[in-house]
Amino acid sequence: MTRNLGSLDRTLRILVGLVLLSLLFVLDSGARWFGLVGLVPLLTGLVGNCPLYSVFGFSSCPLSGRK
C-alpha cells in the first residue's frame, strides 16, 4: 500500500478526526454519535493512505512519484 497523503494533509486529518471524536464526550444529545465519523479521517491520517485518493488517482504526497 503506497502513501498518497502528504504531511500537511495527514496532520489536518488527524486534528479533524480528534476534534470530531471529542464530540462523543462534549455533546449530551443523540447527535454526539456523529463524532464517530471522526474515525475515518483519523485512521486515514495515521495510515497515510486515503482510499478515495487512490480511486481518483490523486496524491498530496510529494514523494509518491519517486521510486
Side-chain angles (χ1 to χ4, degrees):
M1 179 168 38
T2 61
R3 289 191 173 183
N4 58 9
L5 296 177
S7 60
L8 179 62
D9 198 0
R10 289 180 73 184
T11 303
L12 289 175
R13 285 173 184 257
I14 291 170
L15 288 174
V16 168
L18 290 174
V19 168
L20 286 173
L21 279 174
S22 71
L23 293 177
L24 287 170
F25 305 104
V26 175
L27 298 178
D28 289 332
S29 66
R32 72 185 215 173
W33 297 108
F34 179 69
L36 289 176
V37 173
L39 287 174
V40 175
L42 180 64
L43 291 175
T44 57
L46 290 174
V47 172
N49 186 2
C50 178
L52 284 177
Y53 277 17
S54 298
V55 168
F56 293 113
F58 184 73
S59 176
S60 63
C61 184
L63 300 178
S64 64
R66 298 182 189 172
K67 291 193 177 192

